[in-house]
Every structure is written in structure tokens, then in C-alpha cells.
Amino acid sequence: MNRTAQTGQQRALWPTSLLGSLWPILAVVAASALVLVLATLSQPYFYVVFTADVYLPVHYFLETASFVVGFSIFAVYWHASREMRDAQGIFIGTAFFAVAAIDVMHALSFPGMPEFVTPSSVDKGILYWLSFRLWLAFSLLVAAFVDPRSRNPLLRRGPLLGLNVAVTTVVFVVVSFFPDRIPPMFVAGHGLSPLKIGLEYLVVALAVAAALVYLRAYLSTGNQFFKVLTMGLIVTVFSELSFTLYAAAYDTYNLLGHVYEVISYYFIFSALFGSAVRRPYMELQSAFSALDVKNRELKKLNDMIENQLERTIAELRETAQISNRRVAQLDGIIDSLTEGVVIADVTGRIMRCNPAAAALHGFKSPDEMGSRVEELASLPISFPDGRPVTIEEQPISKAIRGERFVHHELVSWGADGVKRCLVFSGCPIKDESGQIVLGLTVSRDVTEERELDRLKDEFFSIASHELRTPLTSIKGFAQLLARRLARESGREEDLRSLEVINHQADSMQELIEELLDVTRIQSGRFELSKNPFDLARLASEVVEKLQITSDKHSLRLKADASLWVNADRHRIEEVFTNLISNAIKYSPEGGPVDIVARRSNGEALVSCRDYGAGIPKEKQPFIFQRFYRAASGPCAVGLGLGLYITRGIIEGHRGRIWFESPPRGAEDNPEKGSIFYFCLPIFPVEAW
Ligand code: ADP
């Protein structure tokens, strides 16, 4: 046991103020000294030499008490040694084996006692006495320097007991069988010999030294063990001083010495017992108390956690109620929408389908909706051209796959069997980590709008045709009149008026042609007259023609040497004109317009780039729709038909048309502009 390391714990177990707790030591010194001084001063009156009948039983009783205590100390340490691991305590405990055993021999050899191996005598009693007293004082002094934590094998209980048995045996053999070799300790009639007194002083000196060492240890550590041991050693000192004073073996000083001895044993026993037996219990008790405190703290903590938990549960319940209410509200809103809403998770399980979606998609009620996307395959739904929609082409499948789309038009036969035009928008819904968790589609019934469009187209078609005949007459007569006026040298103003009529009639004709084109594209009656021609050459002709229309713009053409296509030259010229005119129109500040025509992957790829305002992101999906105009402001002149017709022409040639705004790689450029691309299949001129 590490007595120094345990200081803190000891201080908690024992009084904490060292000086305040010194008073028991001082009291022991004072009381012991007082008794001895009183005994010495009162000697003339009270000095008694007891008779053997009186003294022997008393002596035997006191000695028995001493060696019983001595053996008890030994027994306690011997049995507790393994658990204690206290080299210092074991050293003292085993020393008490020799002390108690020699004390027994002393008690049995005291003058007047029956024979113990050899006849009893005063000298024999004194020799045994001095032996164990010297051994006791010496062992206690040496023990003060033994480190309690020492793991030295010599400081284990076995070797130490062996040492003490050896000491006992030597003392027994020498005192019992070789008393003649030892000088006399007591001379009858003269009292104690100087050697005996000297040896008693040696015991006193050893005991004083040990007491001082333990006192110092007590003062520096506060360990109660050292304090009680010090008190035992102080009483031992007085015991020995008494034994230097007696004149007869049965006198007052001898009795006093034995009484001191028993008291000193009591202190030593209580120190060692306290260390070996009581302290572990006290430590246990203090551990229990600490545990109790900890338990109470734990309980408090537990209560706190329970309260917190209850509060959190209440809050969660409230939050759940609020979110349930919100979900119910949202459900109500979704259910009341006239647009069809379908939500599916990534595994294809349909999570939500409002009544509008069920009606539009052909279900009698939302409950009858298949629980999986695959079941949508049986829905009566097709593309506007009549081609059936596969499960992968279903809008909700595309949304789950992560596609975003708007204006995806399909035809459906709803729950009532009526044919409807539906326009779908869809998008994936992602979680915080960007992972797709749901797909959402919203469908809108545009049947009426389409019917209106059809009627409008029909009207345009009829109106355009009806307008064409009078316009041809107006133009023809205007030209006739102009020629006649020129021949008859008519007035200059009349001639100019006829030119204006002719020019306006041209514009009107162009407009009518555009409208007719729109109706032709709509009805799929768009006719093309294809012939092989060099696209690069056409591009250069158009560029040359359009350059004259604007001196703020510089049209820059880069074209591959020969780029033959089999197409409607007149219509493709229209496409070039349209794209380049738009590039000029929508970059009103002027600047370059770059036209590139080159061969790419077996196709003729044409691009037309301007550095104007560009097309806002939100408007981009609609610019190929007819009558759609994204621009406003000074350049906002037009009908919004150019790109629609352009796309109709390109797609009529099985080509593709698209745009980037801003062009890829120019996102950071404030003058970002747009770039329009189209491509047409290359005509193998070599084979022609
Ligand atoms: P219009 O030019 O008669 O309005 P178009 O069909 O040619 O009709 O174009 C449709 C819309 O697309 C235009 O109103 C304009 O907003 C936008 N647009 C077309 N080309 C460009 C371009 N090069 N730069 C910016 N916006 C353009």
C-alpha cells in the first residue's frame, strides 16, 4: 500500500489539520511523563516491592495481554498481506512474531515462574525482555525506511517470517543454553547492572529515533498510521525508562514498565490494525459514500434526462401534429388541383396521385392507380403522332431518372374515354446530399387550347389563301400602272406611291407566306423541293445580301470549301436569312456575327453566333414555339414565327436545330450573346 500516495484519501478519512491533530501525541508524551515523574517523586512514600503471589499473576496477565496483541498484529498482517501489498506493514507485522514469541519466553522465564527449558531467573527474564524490546524498537526504526510499495522479494511475508523465526531461535538458544557467556543484568542486593541500563537506553534511543521518523512522516503526509505508531513508540520509550529504574523484579517500576508496554502495544496494534483492517473498511465506506453521492447525482441526471426526454417527446409530438396538419393541407391542395400530379419514389412505387391525374390518365379513381410505375404501361396514352408511349418514355419514369422537362405533349384517353391532349412537366426531387429520392410530374389538359390552335390555323390557312388572290391583283395592277406611268412620263409622286404599294404588297405577301408555312408545318403538308447544292456558297450569298442591311454589324463567314447537301435551296436560304437576321436584330449595339459552315461527323454543321443580349434562361424552352417572342424593347419587331418555321424546315430535311445562350465557354462574358446551330446530312457529291 502506498501510504504517501494515499495522503489525499487519508486526509479525507482523518482530521485534516495536522498541527491541530498533534495534541494526542503531546497528550501521550505529557501523560506518560507525568506518571513516571509522579512515580519517581512519590517513591519515598509509595515504592512497593510486591510479593510473588501478587506480582506474578499480574505480570503474567500483562505479558499475556502483550504477546496476544503481538501475535494478533502478526496474524492480521500475515493473512492480509496478499491483498494489502504493503511491504512496510508486513515488515512490522512479521517482526511482531519474534517480539511476541520472545515475550512468551520472557513471561515463562520470569523469576518465580516454573522452569522453562532451563531454570527461570531474573537475568533470564531480563535477557528475553531486552531481546524482544531491542528487536521491536530496531524493527520499527528499520520499517520507517521500507517503501510500502516495494516489490523486493526479501520483503515478502515468507522471507520476513523466516528472519523472525531465526531471531527467535537464536535468542532462545543463546539465552536458554549459554547464559554464562552473557554478562549479568541484575545483581541481587545491587539492582540493575550498567549493561542492562545501557541496553534499556539503547532501546529508548531506537524508539525515540523511530518515533521521530514516524512523526516526520505523519507531519509530511498526515497519515494517521504514522501518528498512532509515533504514540506507541513514545509509550515504549517511557516503558523502557521505567525498566532502567527498578531495583527489584517485583517492584513498582517494573509494574509501571509493563503497564506502559501494554499501552504502547495497544497504540501499535491500533495503528497497524487501523492500517490493515479498519482503513480498508473505512475506504470502502468512503467509497460507498462517494458511490452514494454519485448515485444521487446519477439519479438527478436521470431525472433531468427523463424530463428533457419528456419535453423533447412533447415537442416532437407537436411537430408531428404540425407536420401532419401541413401534409393534410398539402394533400388537400394537391387533391383540389385541376392539374394532374403524380409522385413516385426511385424504386418506381407511386406515392401520390391526385384525382385530376387519375381522371386525365385513365383511372377511375386514385385508389385504382397501380402502385408501381410499370403498371402505367397499360395506360391508354400515346405521342401526338399516335405512337404508343413505352414505360421508359412515361413522364414519371423520366422524372425518376433525373430528367427535367416542360411542355412534353402526349395524347391520353382519360377515365371517361375522351381523347385529351396533355402537356407534362416533370422533375426529380433530391435530398440534401443531392440524391434523387422522388420523381414528380404535373400534367395539364390542353385539349381546348389545341382545338383553338387548330381553329386558328384553319382560319389562318383560309384567310391567307383568301388574301393571296386580291394581293396578287393589287400587286399586278400596281406594277401595270407603274409601267404605264413610266411610259407616259407621269408624275414622280404617283410613281413613288405605286412603288410603296408594290413594296407593302411584297411585305404582306411574305407575311401571308409565313402564315401559310405555319399552317403547312402544323398540318404536316410542308413540301420541299430538294436538289443538291453547295451550302457554303449559299451561305456566302446570303451573308453578302444581308451585310448591306446593317453597317453596324460585320458578318464574318468561315466555310469549308465545298459543303454539298441535298435540300430545298430556297428554304435553306430562308433558314440562313432568318438566323442571321435574328443575330443582327437581337444585337442592336452592333458588332460581329460569326457564321461557320463546316463538315462534322458526316454532316454539314452551320453555326451563327452573335454577341448581343442573349436569351433569358426561363424563356429558352419556348423560343421555337410559334408566335412566341422572348424579346421586348426596340428590337421587338416580328411575329415570333421565324424560328418555328426554321425548325420546321430543318426537321423537314431530317436535320437538327438547337442553340446555346450563352454559348458554351462564354458564361463569364458580359457580351455573351447566343449561338444557333443546325445540321443537315451531307450529300456525297463524288457519287453523284
Ligand atoms: P421574331 O424574331 O419574329 O420575334 P423568331 O421566331 O425568329 O421570332 O424568334 C423568337 C424569339 O426568339 C424572338 O422573339 C427573340 O426573343 C428570340 N431570339 C431569336 N434569335 C435570337 C438571338 N439571336 N438573340 C436573342 N434572342 C433571339
Side-chain angles (χ1 to χ4, degrees), residues 591-603:
V593 173
D594 291 320
I595 301 108
V596 178
R598 61 186 170 89
R599 188 185 285 260
S600 165
N601 295 330
E603 287 178 316

Side-chain angles (χ1 to χ4, degrees), residues 335-381:
D335 282 354
S336 62
L337 287 175
T338 50
E339 278 82 8
V341 176
V342 176
I343 300 171
D345 68 14
V346 278
T347 67
R349 198 158 57 92
I350 292 177
M351 314 288 291
R352 190 90 185 74
C353 163
N354 71 349
L360 294 175
H361 297 182
F363 287 95
K364 288 193 192 86
S365 80
D367 301 338
E368 284 181 55
M369 181 90 183
S371 63
R372 302 215 40 94
V373 169
E374 293 82 66
E375 290 168 47
L376 299 179
S378 59
L379 282 180
I381 193 161

Side-chain angles (χ1 to χ4, degrees), residues 582 585-586 610 615 623 628-631 638-640 642-643 674 676:
N582 276 352
K585 186 157 65 166
Y586 298 110
D610 65 73
I615 306 161
I623 64 159
Y628 185 82
R629 311 213 56 245
L639 276 183
L643 284 181
S674 317
F676 280 78

